[in-house]
Each structure stands twice: as structure tokens, then as C-alpha cells.
Amino acid sequence: MTLTIPDHLLALDARDPLAHKRGAFHLPRGVVYLDGNSLGALPRGVPERLAHAAQTEWGEQLIRSWTAGADAGQDWMALPDRVAAKIARLIGAAAHEVAVGDSTSVNTFKVLAAALGVAGPGRRVILTDADNFPTDLYVAQGLNALLGGTLELRRVPADDIEAHLTEDVAALLLTQVDYRTGRKLDLETITAQARAQGIVTVWDLAHSAGAFPVDLSGAGADFAVGCGYKFLNGGPGAPAFLYAAERHHGAAPVAISGWMGHADPFEMARDFTPAPGARRFVAGTPMVLSLSALDEALDVFADVDLNALRAKSLSLTDTFIDLMEPLAARFPLTLVTPREHARRGSQVSYRHPQAREVMADLIRAGIIGDYRTPDILRFGFTPLYHSHADVWQAARGVQAVLELEARA
Ligand SMILES: Cc1ncc(COP(=O)(O)O)c(C=O)c1O
Ligand SMILES: Nc1c(O)cccc1C(=O)C[C@H](N)C(=O)O
């Protein structure tokens, strides 16, 4: 690898239409941060927004903040809906089809229960990817246990899903981008195939939302969930989101029917009457402080062309794969991320027999990626704040660490 950043990479950065977005983030010096697919970097506007929420809205306004500005939709009570509208644009949904709050795990429970509630009679299988993220598998197991073990959780390799779209399947639960390999599934085609078989789809967009455009409505997807703290940069433990297609709002059961999903919470009625739209899935009191951070973080996306975001993400990951190629020839590194653009999310992963140690050394050297069992080195690329120069620096760092380890 060259000693200085190659001109063609500098040229890519010079004509990067998203380059100015880097300034919207706090990025610590001396670090190449490649873990925005686990915890997005801090948007610069967030600390001030949090201070305002704490000092003014909470400290001064106290309980009045729940309703202050309600006429303009600026009250705390409507904060989940305001955040939902911002996320909706990123995932191809209408604002009233998105609900924000709770964790992705809890939302997976809610939408899986909803999906089972609208599935055709006699269908008792939840079909999923055998390597799905653990929480998706565990939630499906827990829901089945709650239903007395009446369902079957059928786990098959992601590549074999199509062959398993059979008439006994009630719901298809898939994560679009695999957290280990970065493999991206064709959400449009799989959704269409599932719908043709009468199967209700539930998509986990944890590694999709904010990384590239998603078009849930266009695809005809039924339900979805996703994280607020990864590519949406909402901060540690940020509220998650769920999507419920409008056509299901009438019939889909609300498994956690809390008072904040009631049509009129302060009516204090004895029976649950769901709020209009996906708001019915907001179970309890909105997490105002963390919603405020997420709300502010999402403003960074307001003027972002999502196609430009995708193009840059692919350019970053292409560059990393290219720069790593000579290293993969010298060291025991195996690329596990698909090279085809259509099958790649916004991360690049390699197998390495000492992946855990290599990643620990990389992190000590300021190249922060992730290790995932059993032998995966994972590098996440965030098109809002990474440059091609960062990618080059990261690959140089990997080279230095691997050379040092080979000598040890
Ligand atoms: C695919 C996927 N789903 C869900 C989650 C997380 O869910 P939760 O926010 O409930 O921890 C993650 C990461 O943590 C994930 O990668
Ligand atoms: N959600 C996480 C957490 O609470 C602590 C540490 C890491 C995470 C993650 O995001 C893991 C992540 N979903 C993954 O893709 O591996």
C-alpha cells in the first residue's frame, strides 16, 4: 500500500456531495471509527439539544412540557410522532405507519405478534434465517412459548428462503443486512414472493435504516423494525422504531396495549381503544430525553439525497475491499461480504483465525471496528461521516497490525 493517500481517493473525496456532513459529527482525534453500525457517532447538535431538554423543558417547564406547544405539535406527547415522521422518509413509509419507542427487541415482539394476528388461518410457522441476529430468534422463541408452543420456528439458511415459502408459513422474519457478513437481502423480491404465497413479512432494518434508502411501501412489506442508535446516530440505547403497513392498522393486534397507544390516554378509559395509525404501538410514556437526542440526530438527514448516500456507501466499501485485496493475499483473511453491490450493506467483513486478537490490536491502534463470533472482523462504513481517506487509513492500519502480528 502506498505511503500517502492515492490521488484517485482524494479526487473521490473532493467531489463527494456528502463531504460537508462530516462536520455535523464529533469524531475523536486519532481514531478511524468503523463501528457506526453498532453505535453511530455523536451528532454535534445533540449535546445542546439534550441540555435544553434537561434544563429548560424538564428543569423549568416541568410537567407543562407534556402539552406545551401542542397546537403546533411541539409537545413532548407528540415527540414520538415527530421522530416517526423523520424516520418514515428513510424507510419509504408514511409517517402514520411508523411508531418510535422501546427497543428493537420489544418492537420485534410487537410486530411479530401483529403479523401472526393477521396471518391466514391454519398457518403456524415463523420462517427465519438460521443466522438471524439472536434477538430476533429469541423473541420468536419467547412468543411461541407464550402461545403455548403452538407455533414452529423454522430456521433455514438465508439463501434457501425462497424454497421455504410454503403454505404453512404465517410470518417471514428476516434481517435485511446480516450483522456478521454485511450480506444484503433483496427485500423487494423476497417480499413479493412471500406475499404471493400469503405470507406476512417482518423485516429487521437494524443495519439498513440510515445506511441506504429502503422502500417498504414500494415493496409492499407488512411490518418492520429497526434501531435508533446505529446508522440513525441517536445515541446509546436510543429508541427503536417499528413499521406497520396502513392496511394492517385495523386488524393487527396490539400485543402491548399500553395507555400511550390509546386514542385518548387521559380519558383514562377502562378499555383499550387504539390510537389512529401506528401510534397505537407506542405502549408507555415516551422516553423524552433519548427521543430528543434521536430527533436532533435525524435532522442531519433532512437534506440528504438517499441515493447519494447509497452511492457513497458503495464507493467506500468498494475502496476498502480493493485496498484490502493485497492483504488478503498475504494474510489469512477471507472476504465474507458479497462483492455485488445489490447484495452488500454498508459494512465489510473478513474471516481471520485470530479475529478477536486482531480486532483488539486494531482498536488499540485507533482503528475501531468490531469482532463477531466466531472469527469475523467487521468494519462499518457510515457515508455521512467517512471519507475515502479514512478508508485508506483504516486499510493502512490493518496492514500495520497484521505485519506486526506476523513478526511476533
Ligand atoms: C439485526 C439486529 N436486530 C436487533 C438488534 C438489537 O436490538 P436491541 O436494540 O433491542 O438490543 C441488533 C443489534 O443490537 C441487530 O443487529
Ligand atoms: N446493541 C448493542 C449493545 O447494546 C451493546 C453492544 C453492541 C450492540 C450492537 O449493536 C450489536 C449489533 N447489533 C451488531 O450488529 O452486532
Side-chain angles (χ1 to χ4, degrees):
M1 210 166 296
T2 53
L3 285 175
T4 52
I5 304 170
D7 286 346
H8 73 282
L9 296 185
L10 292 174
L12 286 173
D13 285 341
R15 58 170 189 269
D16 170 9
L18 296 173
H20 63 291
K21 287 290 171 187
R22 185 184 182 89
F25 292 89
H26 171 78
L27 297 167
R29 278 182 200 284
V31 160
V32 183
Y33 186 64
L34 301 172
D35 220 349
N37 50 345
S38 189
L39 175 65
L42 172 69
R44 284 194 191 278
V46 166
E48 200 180 315
R49 173 68 183 270
L50 280 173
H52 186 270
Q55 289 164 357
T56 306
E57 297 169 28
W58 178 11
E60 298 296 326
Q61 287 286 110
L62 286 164
I63 202 161
R64 291 169 291 186
S65 286
W66 283 115
T67 48
D71 291 346
Q74 294 304 310
D75 50 326
W76 276 356
M77 205 59 88
L79 187 52
D81 305 331
R82 296 204 295 279
V83 175
K86 291 178 186 177
I87 294 175
R89 181 179 89 86
L90 304 178
I91 59 171
H96 70 286
E97 294 177 307
V98 180
V100 179
D102 297 318
S103 63
T104 307
S105 303
V106 171
N107 286 332
T108 303
F109 179 89
K110 293 183 207 171
V111 295
L112 194 54
L116 294 172
V118 296
R123 293 172 180 261
R124 45 172 293 278
V125 173
I126 299 172
L127 179 64
T128 193
D129 170 6
D131 287 324
N132 205 340
F133 189 74
T135 216
D136 299 61
L137 300 175
Y138 303 163
V139 166
Q141 288 163 12
L143 191 51
N144 186 26
L146 193 64
L147 296 172
T150 50
L151 304 172
E152 178 197 336
L153 180 60
R154 192 171 290 162
R155 294 178 257 197
V156 304
D159 288 342
D160 297 345
I161 287 289
E162 187 183 344
H164 287 83
L165 297 174
T166 47
E167 60 190 18
D168 52 351
V169 177
L172 174 63
L173 172 63
L174 289 177
T175 297
Q176 188 186 15
V177 176
D178 183 89
Y179 74 104
R180 282 197 179 95
T181 64
R183 179 273 297 127
K184 176 173 176 279
L185 292 176
D186 181 347
L187 183 147
E188 287 75 19
T189 303
I190 296 173
T191 300
Q193 289 167 341
R195 283 192 81 185
Q197 299 300 324
I199 296 167
V200 184
T201 51
V202 178
W203 287 97
D204 184 334
L205 302 178
H207 297 266
S208 310
F212 50 80
V214 177
D215 186 6
L216 290 172
S217 304
D222 296 287
F223 297 96
V225 295
C227 296
Y229 50 75
K230 297 178 186 287
F231 291 98
L232 301 185
N233 310 305
F241 66 86
L242 68 78
Y243 163 86
E246 187 187 67
R247 62 182 175 279
H248 294 309
H249 291 177
V254 181
I256 308 179
S257 43
W259 74 307
M260 282 289 162
H262 191 280
D264 184 358
F266 287 93
E267 187 193 342
M268 306 288 181
R270 292 210 162 131
D271 293 309
F272 182 71
T273 304
R279 172 74 196 218
R280 69 193 54 199
F281 292 103
V282 174
T285 303
M287 312 147 169
V288 170
L289 296 179
S290 45
L291 276 169
S292 299
L294 178 58
D295 188 42
E296 188 70 30
L298 287 165
D299 282 348
V300 179
F301 284 94
D303 57 353
V304 169
D305 171 353
L306 298 178
N307 293 318
L309 190 79
R310 174 61 169 163
K312 181 169 172 198
S313 159
L314 288 171
S315 180
L316 294 170
T317 51
D318 274 346
T319 300
F320 190 66
I321 292 171
D322 288 349
L323 291 172
M324 289 283 287
E325 204 152 68
L327 302 183
R330 284 173 59 200
F331 300 101
L333 283 170
T334 310
L335 177 68
V336 293
T337 304
R339 283 175 185 273
E340 303 104 282
H341 284 176
R343 299 187 63 234
R344 190 193 309 159
S346 201
Q347 70 176 63
V348 179
S349 302
Y350 293 85
R351 289 195 190 286
H352 186 288
Q354 275 87 46
R356 188 195 291 268
E357 294 76 17
V358 171
M359 186 49 74
D361 286 345
L362 279 170
I363 292 172
R364 273 191 286 274
I367 312 291
I368 304 184
D370 234 325
Y371 160 76
R372 285 291 173 263
T373 56
D375 57 358
I376 299 277
L377 292 169
R378 187 176 85 162
F379 304 93
F381 294 89
T382 305
L384 286 182
Y385 52 78
H386 284 135
S387 63
H388 295 80
D390 291 329
V391 177
W392 179 83
Q393 249 191 354
R396 286 263 309 170
V398 175
Q399 178 177 353
V401 162
L402 292 177
E403 284 175 351
L404 211 64
E405 287 190 352
R407 268 186 252 130

